[in-house]
Amino acid sequence: MQVSWRKSDLTLWSMKRLSHWIEAARSDTPVLRANLISVNHALFHWMERLGLWQPMPEVNHYLCGYCDSGAHSVYRTVDGESVAYCPENGEIPVPETALSRVSFNEKRLLEVLAEAACVSPDIRYYGGGKVVQLGWTTGPKGARLICGYAQGLGDSQTSESMLQVLRTEFPTGPGLILTPSSVACSGILPHKHRLVQLHTVLSIEGDSLRFDVTTISRQFGSSRSSGRGPGRPSSQETSFEIWDRERHSQSWPQHQLDQAHHILALWPANGGVPPAPGTLKNQIRDFEDGRRPVRPCTKL
């Protein structure tokens, strides 16, 4: 099936996909460009333009699809083309996308976040990099808020390490800690810091990120501004998160009802009561049509 990409493609699902890639990527682990492009080529090229992917040495072996000999060494012809020699078929053209690799540029990510979120960028590392200070931003009524960053918080040990750094080393708040981690709203952290997921306060705008000051103002405003307190995401939000994460995996079923059962099999223990398969099937149809759920937790 041929997919056509529109301008809205970089605002519909991409902030969550960006968070997922950031959370999974490692600066010392090369990835084939072709693999990332196949998942979301618009987002990949956007990140590449911002310098979030850095080039790595090319692959020097190519897995042959014509014989049982496995991978063959890649070399350049006198015309500059990349080829591999197959014992059964001779020289096989190798596309450049099959050789080109990139790795995630963590340092550049921090710069991009600081430029988007902070009035006064000032990147500093605490606790061996477990929490990074990005700088200072503006909250309600012009209040000065410190802005930080942490990731890997789905792991309980990493999360506890972050809390320890906030208690003992990181500048006192009020402030916000941005994270790409898929974690439930968890209230106020030590020293009046708040944990904020990237996709709730940042959006893609051209070749940059836009910081949603209004959302931050709500979160640091009076508790009377919202009738709801902290809580876990709705079941529809949990469904969307699993769907968005799994729909590009090799094990993703073809039919929507099977997809619903696939999501239910991955339902988190703290995710509340899951929807019935038929309800979830209708939600999947909405997700595919571009109708995403609104996060019920607007105040951390």
Side-chain angles (χ1 to χ4, degrees):
M1 180 179 66
Q2 185 176 3
V3 180
S4 60
W5 294 86
R6 305 172 303 277
K7 182 179 179 181
S8 60
D9 291 327
L10 277 177
T11 58
L12 189 57
W13 317 118
S14 294
M15 276 310 303
K16 276 203 168 185
R17 174 60 60 185
L18 176 62
S19 293
H20 178 70
W21 278 358
I22 291 172
E23 186 75 350
R26 296 292 180 268
S27 60
D28 58 349
T29 305
V31 184
L32 280 176
R33 290 179 83 252
N35 291 349
L36 296 169
I37 291 172
S38 68
V39 174
N40 189 325
H41 75 80
L43 178 60
F44 172 80
H45 290 304
W46 178 86
M47 293 175 67
E48 193 172 42
R49 289 194 298 273
L50 264 66
L52 295 177
W53 297 113
Q54 54 193 359
M56 296 290 287
E58 290 187 344
V59 175
N60 55 13
H61 285 79
Y62 181 66
L63 186 62
C64 183
Y66 300 96
C67 69
D68 298 326
S69 301
H72 306 309
S73 296
V74 177
Y75 58 92
R76 299 276 183 179
T77 66
V78 292
D79 297 326
E81 296 180 353
S82 298
V83 297
Y85 182 78
C86 172
E88 296 183 13
N89 295 276
E91 288 187 343
I92 302 172
V94 179
E96 293 298 323
T97 53
L99 303 176
S100 179
R101 298 189 299 176
V102 295
S103 66
F104 189 67
N105 191 336
E106 295 178 3
K107 181 175 181 292
R108 178 57 184 153
L109 169 68
L110 298 175
E111 294 172 349
V112 170
L113 292 176
E115 291 166 3
C118 300
V119 176
S120 302
D122 182 18
I123 298 175
R124 303 187 185 189
Y125 297 84
Y126 292 87
K130 292 182 176 64
V131 184
V132 181
Q133 173 186 304
L134 298 175
W136 300 88
T137 190
T138 303
K141 300 179 180 179
R144 195 166 183 249
L145 303 176
I146 189 168
C147 185
Y149 174 82
Q151 68 180 72
L153 304 183
D155 176 74
S156 59
Q157 186 174 354
T158 303
S159 181
E160 181 54 42
S161 296
M162 176 203 68
L163 293 175
Q164 182 63 20
V165 172
L166 292 179
R167 293 187 193 104
T168 60
E169 298 182 45
F170 198 75
T172 57
L176 60 147
I177 307 299
L178 301 176
T179 182
S181 302
S182 297
V183 288
C185 299
S186 55
I188 299 177
L189 300 174
H191 300 303
K192 298 182 180 179
H193 293 295
R194 295 177 185 267
L195 190 65
V196 182
Q197 290 177 302
L198 291 179
H199 71 271
T200 65
V201 293
L202 290 167
S203 59
I204 293 174
E205 191 171 272
D207 282 344
S208 63
L209 288 173
R210 185 179 67 84
F211 189 61
D212 188 352
V213 179
T214 303
T215 299
I216 294 301
S217 296
R218 284 202 308 268
Q219 293 177 352
F220 282 88
S222 169
S223 59
R224 293 189 299 270
S225 63
S226 173
R228 298 191 58 164
R232 62 176 171 236
S234 67
S235 63
Q236 189 179 26
E237 174 68 15
T238 302
S239 301
F240 174 80
E241 189 167 316
I242 300 174
W243 173 82
D244 191 43
R245 184 184 70 229
E246 293 293 318
R247 62 194 175 109
H248 297 292
S249 67
Q250 294 182 347
S251 60
W252 186 243
Q254 182 178 358
H255 301 292
Q256 288 178 340
L257 186 57
D258 294 332
Q259 293 171 6
H261 287 290
H262 182 90
I263 291 174
L264 291 174
L266 298 174
W267 199 264
N270 62 349
V273 179
T279 301
L280 189 48
K281 178 182 175 182
N282 293 334
Q283 290 179 0
I284 292 171
R285 186 181 299 115
D286 288 341
F287 300 159
E288 290 179 348
D289 290 341
R291 294 190 291 274
R292 62 175 295 175
V294 177
R295 286 187 61 85
C297 185
T298 58
K299 180 178 177 63
L300 296 184

